[in-house]
Amino acid sequence: MKQTGDLNLVKKINKTIVLHHIRTDSPISRARIAEITGLTKATVSSLVNELIESSLVEEIGVGESSGGRKPMMLLFKGTAGYAIGVDLGVHDILAVLTDLTGKVIREKRIQHHNESVEHVTRLLTTTIRELIDTAPESVYGVIGIGLGVPGICDEEGNLLFAPNLGWENVPLQAQLEAEFGLPVVIDNEANAGAVGEKQFGAGKDTANLVYVSIGMGIGAGIIIRNELYRGATGFSGEIGHISIQHDGPKCRCGSLGCWELYASEHALLEQAGQELGHEVDLESLLSKAENGDAGVIQLFERLGYYLGVGVVNIINGFNPEFIILGGRLAGGEKWLMKPLLELLEKRSLPHPRKQLKVEFSELQDRSTVLGAASFAVAKFFASTTVSVERS
Ligand SMILES: [Zn+2]
């Protein structure tokens, strides 16, 4: 009996591998999958037939032959289901409906004033509900929800601590699962952003990258050898709390002189508020800078300098191939980049700097939603290859 169990497991694993290649390399032929995976052509064919029956794969006609009969090409059917990705921000919620390939079908953006946990979670569920209601008809429907949050979470999806939201111990995953009856994945927004960049953005071809999310706080998602590095207990990447001034001002985390006190959106807004004598938001600062306001441009340039101070620590500490700067402040690239690069040139160690790329995100502020949706899709495939199994 045990042997049968093992054989079933082997079959499931093989099917997962075949589906993986169709998802990442399609259009692809059965023969090519057999070649890459080392499985026999008969095994690949039988597994592909099951995947076609499960509506996850379709045949799209004949491809080029390398001699002999022209092969039938296979395509992953991204519209077999849909996923929700959400970026819960300190003042806004960005949510998308994507297909199973991560293509954005619909997007919704709303502001909030963080009046209370209940108020924001209500906005969150209304937003998700609206997107679910607009999902096109499909075989699997909406398969799950992924959520990026500005704080740290445990493995059960409890948001343990989000200093910039002022939230502690919110059982978000359980609440959303109960509300929607769908699988929910919750992770730190910078982790989700790093995965978004790795799968859909500038980081596609990079094995070792650090994604720095610059919002009201600063966080990092660290990808080492193509895998997200979560640390021993899942709390890696709280890089905004690296102290850059040992006796600096007190931070909400309890330490002094943390990087995000100097280089975050919060820091920029505070500085701007002091100089202009009234409260401002990022959008109005960006448009002032765009209109050539020298004072505001100087604020962005100083922020670029402070960003550089922290990025030097990342370069020297991690030796990544690629640092991607994302989050809402990516909109200020034009004024941030020059002082930042000048500082890196002067202060980072020359050897780790040599082969390094530093860029602002092409996905702008969508890295996190796309990564979050891809968490939901990954969870779906981790379970479906089991449940679509036919005897
Ligand atoms: Zn801190």
Side-chain angles (χ1 to χ4, degrees):
M1 279 298 114
K2 187 174 176 292
Q3 200 177 15
T4 317
D6 287 347
L7 283 173
N8 274 336
L9 181 65
V10 168
K11 190 179 165 195
K12 281 172 192 167
I13 293 170
N14 286 341
K15 197 151 130 187
T16 307
I17 293 170
V18 169
L19 180 59
H20 170 79
H21 286 289
I22 301 174
R23 284 177 68 199
T24 50
D25 302 327
S26 68
I28 188 169
S29 67
R30 289 169 175 83
R32 177 76 188 127
I33 297 171
E35 204 178 297
I36 301 172
T37 58
L39 297 168
T40 67
K41 282 186 188 169
T43 304
V44 171
S45 279
S46 125
L47 295 174
V48 165
N49 287 345
E50 288 183 18
L51 289 166
I52 291 174
E53 262 181 64
S54 319
S55 302
L56 292 171
V57 169
E58 59 189 338
E59 291 179 320
I60 53 148
V62 290
E64 286 299 307
S65 165
S66 51
R69 198 153 59 96
K70 283 189 176 175
M72 181 66 75
M73 300 305 276
L74 303 166
L75 202 64
F76 173 59
K77 207 168 160 190
T79 54
Y82 294 87
I84 303 282
V86 186
D87 180 3
L88 170 62
V90 175
H91 293 307
D92 57 357
I93 295 170
L94 174 60
V96 292
L97 175 78
T98 73
D99 71 11
L100 298 179
T101 66
K103 184 177 162 212
V104 175
I105 308 296
R106 233 162 238 110
E107 179 176 294
K108 210 168 152 40
R109 209 180 267 272
I110 53 166
Q111 305 289 316
H112 68 78
H113 301 289
N114 193 23
E115 289 91 343
S116 65
V117 175
E118 293 69 31
H119 178 78
V120 178
T121 45
R122 208 160 41 240
L123 280 179
L124 199 61
T125 49
T126 324
T127 309
I128 293 171
R129 175 76 62 202
E130 279 180 40
L131 286 176
I132 290 177
D133 289 346
T134 61
E137 281 289 307
S138 65
V139 180
Y140 294 96
V142 173
I143 53 86
I145 301 163
L147 188 69
V149 294
I152 53 177
C153 316
D154 63 13
E155 280 179 2
E156 282 75 48
N158 297 305
L159 175 52
L160 299 177
F161 183 43
N164 291 308
L165 272 171
W167 293 15
E168 263 179 77
N169 299 317
V170 182
L172 257 187
Q173 181 177 322
Q175 279 177 13
L176 292 175
E177 280 180 343
E179 175 79 28
F180 295 103
L182 289 170
V184 175
V185 186
I186 295 191
D187 206 327
N188 174 268
E189 57 90 23
N191 282 348
V195 171
E197 289 293 339
K198 172 80 187 125
Q199 292 205 3
F200 307 107
K204 264 184 208 156
D205 304 318
T206 312
N208 301 292
L209 71 87
V210 177
Y211 168 77
V212 183
S213 165
I214 319 155
M216 292 312 268
I218 298 180
I222 302 155
I223 290 186
I224 299 174
R225 292 189 190 145
N226 297 310
E227 296 280 336
L228 189 61
Y229 173 74
R230 294 178 178 281
T233 49
F235 305 136
S236 67
E238 288 300 321
I239 217 149
H241 299 286
I242 282 181
S243 180
I244 61 166
Q245 191 171 347
H246 73 97
D247 57 353
K250 196 164 171 55
C251 177
R252 273 189 254 198
C253 74
S255 183
L256 303 177
C258 291
W259 183 29
E260 68 177 42
L261 298 177
Y262 302 83
S264 62
E265 179 182 338
H266 189 260
L268 176 76
L269 297 184
E270 210 171 59
Q271 276 289 326
Q274 276 170 20
E275 295 198 12
L276 300 169
H278 57 85
E279 266 192 38
V280 277
D281 59 17
L282 181 62
E283 286 67 28
S284 70
L285 287 178
L286 286 169
S287 77
K288 276 182 205 289
E290 199 59 62
N291 291 327
D293 185 319
V296 173
I297 289 174
Q298 217 168 36
L299 286 176
F300 277 105
E301 287 173 348
R302 186 157 59 194
L303 197 87
Y305 166 88
Y306 280 124
L307 276 175
V309 174
V311 171
V312 165
N313 291 332
I314 297 174
I315 297 171
N316 295 350
F318 287 94
N319 179 208
E321 297 164 58
F322 198 178
I323 295 176
I324 303 174
L325 305 164
R328 277 162 54 87
L329 266 176
E333 172 180 1
K334 213 193 277 185
W335 309 286
L336 299 170
M337 197 53 154
K338 193 165 164 262
L340 183 134
L341 290 180
E342 277 171 7
L343 195 107
L344 301 192
E345 194 61 38
K346 272 190 218 140
R347 296 214 205 161
S348 62
L349 290 167
H351 291 291
R353 191 175 63 227
K354 229 181 229 168
Q355 310 239 328
L356 169 78
K357 275 196 297 182
V358 180
E359 282 175 18
F360 279 85
S361 168
E362 295 163 9
L363 301 173
Q364 297 272 334
D365 60 357
R366 288 189 186 80
S367 329
T368 295
V369 274
L370 291 175
S374 84
F375 286 151
V377 172
K379 187 166 183 169
F380 170 69
F381 282 118
S383 61
T384 345
T385 37
V386 179
S387 65
V388 296
E389 193 70 36
R390 283 175 165 73
S391 52

